[in-house]
Amino acid sequence: MAAHMLNMFRIFSGQLTSASFQFRQCRSCLQRPVPLQRPVPLQRPVPQPALLSHPFGSSAAFRQKDAEVQAAQALDRYKQRPWDYVESEEYVERYGSSAVWTGYRRSHKGGIPPQTTRKTCIRGHKICGNPCPICRDPNIIVHHQNVKLLQQFISPHTGMVYDPTLTGVCMKQQKKLNKAIDKARDDGLLAFHIPRVEFSGEDYSNSHDAVGVTPPPPFLISSQPWYKWYAEITPDDSKVDQVKKTYKAYLKP
């Protein structure tokens, strides 16, 4: 009985010792000072651009940029082939089937329009307030192969180029039109009418001695002309007297 009680006391004391050791270890952990952690700085949100923050700004800017790119590409394409613009849908929507100068009216002071158009519409990088029909559209380029554009400035009845006071084209573009029309006619791109003239065979014949083969000079005889057609010419007496008076000092008596 005593031995049994001694064994129970040893077991109980061992468990009590281990429990007290764990308690002290836990207490030391609780009493140990915890190192302070630095607060993490808050990251401010990156401000977005005004165009992207606006609900419709991005799409409007994209459409505007896309339109500018398309216009630049079209302008470059029409510079290489200016005759394609007259056949494009953009030209039909803007002018329809009428000429580019139809309905144009130059702004001027007073009720009487000027007798001549302006010298040029573009001076350096400055454009006048009401440019001419060619200068107001950058896609219209005067070229001798742009036949459909040149035909708009030629009268279909007479074949003559319209006066700039009618079309309103400035003098600089009018000079380009005249050169392009002449070049197109020389290259056979524009048809033009040549009036038929009936030539007389007598007037333009090579059988006359004056335009034919010159005969050898005959022997000179007094009161005989050098060539026979000289005899057919009757000089004016007043002209002869004037010549004699002029050269009186040099004539022999």
Side-chain angles (χ1 to χ4, degrees), residues 66-80:
D66 189 14
E68 291 178 357
V69 171
Q70 291 181 359
Q73 291 178 356
L75 186 60
D76 294 340
R77 182 175 70 254
Y78 295 143
K79 282 185 177 180
Q80 300 296 331

Side-chain angles (χ1 to χ4, degrees), residues 51-68:
L51 292 177
L52 298 180
S53 61
H54 196 275
F56 303 101
S58 59
S59 59
F62 178 76
R63 287 196 299 268
Q64 183 179 3
K65 186 176 181 180
D66 189 14
E68 291 178 357

Side-chain angles (χ1 to χ4, degrees), residues 198-211:
E198 296 292 342
F199 295 100
S200 176
E202 297 179 359
D203 298 337
Y204 300 93
S205 173
N206 58 358
S207 61
H208 196 270
D209 294 337
V211 296

